[in-house]
Amino acid sequence: MESTVASGKRPGYGQLLRTAGAWTFLLPGFAARQPFAMLTIGIVLLVQHTTGSYGSAGAVAAVTGVSMALFAPQSGKLADRYGQRAVLVPGVLVHTASGAALTVLALTGAPLWALFVAAVPTGASVPQVGPMVRARWAARLQGSPLMSTAAAFESVTDEFTFVVGPVLATALCTGIHPAAGLIAESALTLAGGLLFAAQRRTQPDHGLSLTDARSKRVSALSVPGVRVLAVAFLGIGSVFGGMQVSLTAFTQEIGQPGMNGLLYGLFAAGNMLAGVAVGAIAWRTGPRRRLVLGYTGLTLAASLLWTAHSVVLLGALGLVVGLFIAPALITGYTLVDSLVPATARTEAFTWLTGAVALGQAAAVTVAGQLADEYGASAGFAVPLAGTALALITLVALRSRLAQRASGRVAARGIGHRVPVTVD
């Protein structure tokens, strides 16, 4: 598909949003991805209400997150091969049914093992709308400098989703019924997912429609650079999970639990502000170098969290940590476009999204145990450890991100292949 944007222009959000056909998938895509941010908190509030245990509630939510992380890449691979609609429609139906089953089991006092069983398909069938939207941008903008702007736009959209979704789910659970958040999540997934799937004109070409037989056999995870990025995104997930648990524990320790929302809001605000800025800048530095530098800043900022003993200082440090997360996420997603063939992009994006979810699930578990045993400050060691290990991997294997990859030069839909150098 020929790029709809002239590649020589300065990147900008206005120019990005004027891309032909963009709004036809942006609006339904936003509606379809909103429930994703409601799922974890909806499960926690429902299961805690029915069992009286935050530990049990967190465990069920963690099973959902791990299941999503393991199955999401397979969903992406199928979408690349058979098309997004073919995967999305049955996926949202399964997710709606399994979410309803989990709700009924919780309300009827089913044993914990039954909730775990229901949590597996609930997480496995989470629609990967974010990666699918990114794949549509990549199909529209291949070869254009606006890809970095699109990655920034999607990062801001994700952050906005994760600010609004938990608030909406909490309000429904506390104001209407403990099951209302999970019920709303399932309903929105069904309606938004089907609406997004109906936008067939902007769906990227899938593997079975392309003539290059070699492209069909490419797996995103077989690309070394994708494996390096997955480790980096695991570290980012450890920040999200560690911050969620440790901020909650910290505000409870100081007797101000109501400050939790404000502190996490500052963290999310830093992420959103940085995402807007990254997308508005015409970068002269290559993405590989930007990723290493940005991740170094993230690790340094995370290393200071455990030293904070006041709301003001922790809020400031959370804001700084957020400022470094968006550049790392955006640059990682931007690199995918150059490292991975078009027939494996959705799979690649879901590997990265799944890595964040897996890192978050692990961090929630470890940080919770540390906070219980040693206090909230110990929980903040999880983001430090996660980002430090990921940074070491990223620096040691950064050459994998500079490999030449086959990029497709559009010419009436399918063109010849030329080498593209990253960084």
Side-chain angles (χ1 to χ4, degrees):
M1 180 182 297
E2 185 178 359
S3 174
T4 58
V5 182
S7 60
K9 294 183 180 180
R10 177 186 177 90
Y13 290 109
Q15 185 181 351
L16 175 72
L17 296 178
R18 289 193 296 271
T19 301
W23 286 103
T24 63
F25 64 84
L26 281 181
L27 291 180
F30 178 78
R33 77 212 298 182
Q34 186 64 48
F36 177 72
M38 303 170 62
L39 181 60
T40 298
I41 189 66
I43 291 174
V44 168
L45 293 176
L46 172 60
V47 176
Q48 192 279 330
H49 170 77
T50 58
T51 65
S53 169
Y54 279 106
S56 297
V60 175
V63 169
T64 304
V66 171
S67 179
M68 192 211 79
L70 295 177
F71 283 90
Q74 306 311 314
S75 172
K77 184 182 295 185
L78 292 173
D80 284 324
R81 183 167 178 78
Y82 298 104
Q84 294 183 359
R85 177 183 172 85
V87 175
L88 194 56
V89 172
V92 297
L93 295 177
V94 171
H95 184 75
T96 302
S98 57
L102 178 58
T103 302
V104 171
L105 288 170
L107 291 175
T108 55
L112 189 60
W113 65 263
L115 301 184
F116 287 150
V117 171
V120 173
T122 301
S125 59
V126 170
Q128 299 302 307
V129 177
M132 289 181 180
V133 171
R134 287 182 167 92
R136 295 192 185 212
W137 277 124
R140 308 296 291 180
L141 301 173
Q142 51 186 320
S144 167
L146 278 175
M147 268 306 302
S148 178
T149 307
F153 182 85
E154 289 304 307
S155 179
V156 173
T157 301
D158 284 340
E159 281 306 306
F160 184 71
T161 296
F162 276 96
V163 170
V164 174
V167 173
L168 176 60
T170 301
L172 290 172
C173 290
T174 57
I176 300 178
H177 189 275
L182 196 54
I183 292 173
E185 186 274 339
S186 296
L188 286 174
T189 297
L190 180 63
L194 293 178
L195 182 61
F196 180 77
Q199 312 307 312
R200 305 179 69 171
R201 293 184 61 184
T202 56
Q203 179 177 261
D205 291 332
H206 51 83
L208 296 181
S209 69
L210 299 177
T211 59
D212 190 340
R214 291 175 300 173
S215 293
K216 298 180 189 178
R217 297 194 297 267
V218 172
S219 169
L221 202 60
S222 69
V223 178
V226 173
R227 298 197 292 269
V228 176
L229 290 175
V231 173
F233 277 50
L234 276 170
I236 292 173
S238 74
V239 177
F240 284 123
M243 290 289 283
Q244 287 176 348
V245 171
S246 301
L247 287 176
T248 301
F250 175 82
T251 53
Q252 288 178 344
E253 281 184 1
I254 64 174
Q256 299 181 42
M259 296 298 294
N260 182 40
L262 174 62
L263 291 176
Y264 197 82
L266 288 172
F267 168 66
N271 202 340
M272 291 181 65
L273 290 173
V276 172
V278 168
I281 295 174
W283 295 97
R284 296 183 179 180
T285 306
R288 181 179 61 146
R289 185 174 301 173
R290 295 204 310 269
L291 180 59
V292 172
L293 292 175
Y295 216 97
T296 300
L298 174 61
T299 304
L300 292 174
S303 70
L304 299 174
L305 288 170
W306 69 274
T307 66
H309 298 289
S310 70
V311 171
V312 174
L313 181 55
L314 188 54
L317 287 175
L319 179 66
V320 173
V321 171
L323 289 173
F324 282 107
I325 283 183
L329 283 172
I330 292 166
T331 308
Y333 281 124
T334 302
L335 281 165
V336 168
D337 186 47
S338 299
L339 292 170
V340 181
T343 50
R345 280 192 190 127
T346 307
E347 181 197 351
F349 289 135
T350 51
W351 273 113
L352 300 187
T353 303
V356 173
L358 187 59
Q360 183 174 355
V364 165
T365 303
V366 176
Q369 293 176 344
L370 290 175
D372 285 341
E373 292 291 332
Y374 307 106
S377 296
F380 286 120
V382 173
L384 167 59
T387 54
L389 291 173
L391 177 61
I392 292 171
T393 303
L394 186 59
V395 172
L397 301 178
R398 64 187 182 280
S399 61
R400 306 285 180 89
L401 302 175
Q403 290 180 341
R404 290 178 177 268
S406 294
R408 197 173 281 280
V409 178
R412 300 178 184 176
I414 299 176
H416 60 280
R417 301 170 73 83
V418 297
V420 177
T421 302
V422 181
D423 195 14

